[in-house]
Amino acid sequence: MRTGTWVGADAHAIARAVHRREVSARAVVEEHLAHIGDRNPQLNAIVTVATEQSRRDADVLDDRLACGEPPGPLAGVPFTVKDLVTTAGVRTTAGSRALADNVPGVDAPAVAAMKAAGAILIGKTNTPEFGTSGLTDNELFGPTVNPLGTPDLPRSPGGSSGGEAAAIASGMSVLGLGTDFGGSVRWPAHCTGLASIRPTIGRVCADGQYPGLVAGDHLLANPVTVHGALQTIGPMARSLDEAVLVLRVVSEPHIAWMDPAGVDVDRLDITWAPGEGTVPVAADIVAAVTEVAGRLGARRYGGSALAQGNDLFGRLRATQTHADITASAAPDTFGASIRQMLSAARAESSAEVEELWATRARFVQRLLAEMGDLLVLPVASIGAPLLGRDRFDVDGRSLTWQEVLASCRTISVAGFPSVVVPVGETGDGMPIGVQLVARPFHEHVALSVAARLCRVARVR
């Protein structure tokens, strides 16, 4: 039997040890629950701890192993889920007082896939209300603190999967499921030094995410809303290998999986850009992206489509009436930010909405023609921001969090897969992630390039 703690161990090591019965799943869970008790009061990353359910699930897994049953590739690995994603028997609030007591009866398909693979749900993580901000704070639970900050200079983990990022980066969770609409797994990974994957739209079942369409016990992705069309569930982990493991588990079984090891990175046509073209990016982040591009032999992106994506994302988002949110509760139960968003919403004509989606189709085709096999981009204009800030100065321009995430929003509106891995540090010591964007359903290409960057980092 191994001595010492399993907190901080990677998913492969835990699953292997549990499978071999070198440690019980219950023991792994108990160590992580104790660690949550120690760290979470300072970080406010996990808003609902699934204490009793995780213990029961671990005991069931241990009994199955004792009977010789196959445990699955994530046997005994504790994982957390962003509080926008439904979990059977465990509170799911979407960070809203309107859903403070909401306990779903059915798991989101991605959560069910994790459990079927042997992973143990240990808690739900903080998110801005209905995931509508890039900074993790809400009126129900308050803000989440980045574990990489200091007491005198506390940092935000970004958002909207900021609670998920903080839980994993602090060792309270091993693996996580976040959601990504305009950068919500990529930006928090960048802020906390994690790996994350925004899959191609459709690779992971989108059901079970707020905002969505309530259908009995199920929460369905609404295909006629911008959220329903563009928001996806994606993995977050401390290493690329672990994030890939999660992606394989939650991917739809009818979509073929291509092995990243079969990609010849040296034969790829790789382009790079220092940003999406309309919003300034901090010099230290540009330098890190430039250095990565040099290592990969990338050519400078010279197209025009990239600079149109952020504006298009904003225009499409503005067409939403947010009916899926208002259907969930009375308006006076929402927080101030949601009430403001609802009051600003206006109905667009069908012709206007259809023309925007047609513009999006043309944008996708142009970007595909210009980007090559892979596009290297910054994740954001800044590193992890100071807690409580909502304006950010870059090159003399004051940016909102939406503008900070312009490169992410551009890729979101295209629906392309994007892998984020850490590649350096900002001048004040915060992580820098790089966004590796591939063509639709070519996650294996982005993952192969990410693996090369991670190998170089380990050698250094």
Side-chain angles (χ1 to χ4, degrees):
M1 298 289 286
R2 168 175 163 154
T3 58
T5 181
W6 288 93
V7 171
D10 67 61
H12 297 279
I14 291 173
R16 184 168 53 249
V18 170
H19 189 184
R20 295 173 178 172
R21 301 183 69 194
E22 295 169 355
V23 65
S24 67
R26 178 64 178 265
V28 173
V29 163
E30 291 293 352
E31 288 192 10
H32 282 83
L33 289 173
H35 190 58
I36 290 169
D38 289 340
R39 294 301 311 276
N40 201 50
Q42 294 79 41
L43 301 179
N44 192 35
I46 299 178
V47 295
T48 301
V49 183
T51 304
E52 295 309 315
Q53 186 184 93
S54 63
R55 286 170 172 162
R56 287 196 302 270
D57 290 348
D59 289 343
V60 168
L61 178 61
D62 287 330
D63 289 344
R64 287 176 50 211
L65 286 165
C67 294
E69 295 182 29
L74 296 177
V77 178
F79 78 108
T80 41
V81 175
K82 183 180 183 177
D83 207 24
L84 289 185
V85 181
T86 54
T87 45
V90 178
R91 184 174 62 158
T92 302
T93 73
S96 179
R97 291 177 300 184
L99 296 172
D101 299 317
N102 176 48
V103 179
V106 177
D107 283 321
V111 174
M114 292 289 287
K115 290 182 176 180
I120 308 293
L121 176 66
I122 204 166
K124 303 298 293 294
T125 54
N126 206 13
T127 176
E129 191 170 13
F130 287 96
T132 56
S133 171
L135 302 167
T136 300
D137 192 2
N138 59 62
E139 295 180 17
L140 180 61
F141 298 116
T144 294
V145 179
N146 190 329
L148 303 187
T150 60
D152 56 328
L153 287 175
R155 304 271 179 166
S156 169
S160 60
S161 304
E164 197 58 52
I168 297 167
S170 63
M172 292 189 289
S173 175
V174 182
L175 304 172
L177 294 179
T179 70
D180 192 303
F181 179 47
S184 294
V185 299
R186 291 165 287 167
W187 161 236
H190 164 79
C191 289
T192 56
L194 301 181
S196 72
I197 305 169
R198 175 191 165 89
T200 306
I201 295 297
R203 177 172 286 280
V204 178
C205 182
D207 292 342
Q209 301 178 80
Y210 281 101
L213 178 65
V214 177
D217 285 341
H218 295 268
L219 186 64
L220 307 179
N222 190 338
V224 300
T225 66
V226 181
H227 265 102
L230 299 181
Q231 183 165 290
T232 182
I233 292 173
M236 305 179 75
R238 288 189 292 270
S239 73
L240 178 66
D241 287 346
E242 292 170 289
V244 173
L245 183 59
V246 174
L247 182 62
R248 293 202 65 171
V249 165
V250 300
S251 288
E252 290 277 64
H254 64 275
I255 296 176
W257 177 262
M258 302 294 289
D259 187 355
V263 176
D264 185 347
V265 173
D266 294 323
R267 296 177 65 88
L268 294 175
D269 177 20
I270 302 176
T271 60
W272 76 281
E276 43 72 65
T278 68
V279 176
V281 178
D284 47 7
I285 293 177
V286 171
V289 173
T290 304
E291 196 270 337
V292 165
R295 275 193 269 149
L296 296 174
R299 60 182 175 86
R300 182 72 175 255
Y301 171 84
S304 60
L306 200 59
Q308 300 169 5
N310 181 46
D311 176 68
L312 180 57
F313 180 94
R315 290 166 63 201
L316 273 169
R317 191 181 189 198
T319 67
Q320 292 201 145
T321 60
H322 307 293
D324 288 341
I325 292 178
T326 56
S328 64
D332 60 0
T333 61
F334 298 124
S337 63
I338 296 295
R339 293 198 303 272
Q340 181 180 8
M341 183 183 74
L342 295 176
S343 66
R346 67 181 183 87
E348 303 279 352
S349 72
S350 296
E352 289 173 314
V353 174
E354 288 171 10
E355 177 53 34
L356 279 175
W357 283 107
T359 299
R360 187 252 184 182
R362 291 189 289 267
F363 162 75
V364 167
Q365 288 305 112
R366 287 198 304 274
L367 188 54
L368 284 171
E370 296 171 356
M371 66 176 279
D373 299 312
L374 186 96
L375 174 63
V376 180
L377 275 177
V379 175
S381 292
I382 61 172
L386 293 174
L387 196 67
R389 297 278 180 90
D390 61 3
R391 303 288 299 195
F392 314 99
D393 183 76
V394 179
D395 292 345
R397 179 172 162 184
S398 179
L399 304 180
T400 63
W401 66 260
Q402 292 96 332
E403 291 172 315
V404 162
L405 298 183
S407 290
C408 278
R409 286 154 57 101
T410 294
I411 301 309
S412 289
V413 77
F416 294 175
S418 177
V419 176
V420 170
V421 289
V423 295
E425 290 186 353
T426 62
D428 57 0
M430 290 294 103
I432 296 174
V434 68
Q435 196 175 180
L436 305 170
V437 182
R439 302 169 79 83
F441 296 103
H442 281 58
E443 281 86 352
H444 60 292
V445 172
L447 292 170
S448 68
V449 175
R452 172 173 287 193
L453 294 179
C454 291
R455 284 195 297 271
V456 171
R458 284 196 293 269
V459 169
R460 290 183 174 184

